[in-house]
Amino acid sequence: MEVLQAIKTRRSIRKYKKDPVPQEELEKVLDAGRWAPSASNLQPWKFIVLSDFKVKEKVAKSLAWGKFLDEAPLGIAVAADPRVSSHPVEDGSIAAYSILLAAHAVGLGGCWLNPSASEEEVKEILGIPKEERLISVMSIGYPAEAPSSTRKELKDITFTNRYGSK
Ligand SMILES: Cc1cc2nc3c(=O)[nH]c(=O)nc-3n(C[C@H](O)[C@H](O)[C@H](O)COP(=O)(O)O)c2cc1C
């Protein structure tokens, strides 16, 4: 899929088919995370694939707005280490977005599930070291819905040379 088309047609998917995600497709998606840019190319991230139903269920219960994680065939958590880079949130977020975009490009769907309200609890479940940050948990699978979304108009969010200047 062409990149601009992928960017514009990607949607957050919250309902999934039962079909498993082939290993080959999962690797493509993870590899897109690996190729994300990072500050000084320090790549402070780790990707944890959640394939065990019990693990997904536990994480799902801890997430405020991600209870549907246990209905997705897979989850991917992105952790980032502040000891490796002083930009763990930026680097982890851009890797997570690369993962979501690549998932869409290969016909999968995903949704960012905000772990911030229960970060320590989810880290504990997944065995992520205390020193690391949990940036994102994503549900991944073949979409069983085709939601629409909206965006603010470009003219309302774009200025030239100075904030507020048209
Ligand atoms: C930082 C961040 C946190 C989000 N947290 C959640 C979440 O906890 N649960 C959820 O269902 N969607 C979550 N989303 C998905 C957004 O709701 C979604 O991206 C937004 O509504 C736009 O829809 P679209 O992705 O389909 O274009 C999150 C997205 C981002 C970037």
Side-chain angles (χ1 to χ4, degrees), residues 7-114:
I7 289 169
K8 288 189 82 164
T9 59
R10 180 213 54 80
R11 294 281 71 82
S12 292
I13 300 300
R14 299 179 177 89
K15 290 193 168 71
Y16 298 94
K17 293 180 181 163
K18 295 255 176 277
D19 310 24
V21 176
Q23 184 63 22
E24 195 188 325
E25 301 299 287
L26 172 62
E27 277 173 24
K28 285 182 199 165
V29 166
L30 294 169
D31 211 34
R34 184 172 75 96
W35 278 100
S38 61
S40 305
N41 199 19
L42 288 170
Q43 306 163 58
W45 44 58
K46 294 283 188 296
F47 308 140
I48 303 139
V49 177
L50 317 181
S51 56
D52 185 317
F53 177 76
K54 287 210 168 80
V55 176
K56 282 186 290 157
E57 193 183 35
K58 264 193 187 169
V59 174
K61 279 190 182 142
S62 304
L63 294 170
W65 303 280
K67 306 289 178 210
F68 52 87
L69 174 64
D70 59 2
E71 291 160 20
L74 288 180
I76 299 176
V78 176
D81 194 336
R83 296 167 299 180
V84 174
S85 168
S86 51
H87 300 278
V89 177
E90 294 89 334
D91 292 344
S93 297
I94 206 162
Y97 179 55
S98 294
I99 285 171
L100 286 175
L101 203 55
H104 175 55
V106 301
L108 291 160
C111 187
W112 181 307
L113 310 173
N114 192 359

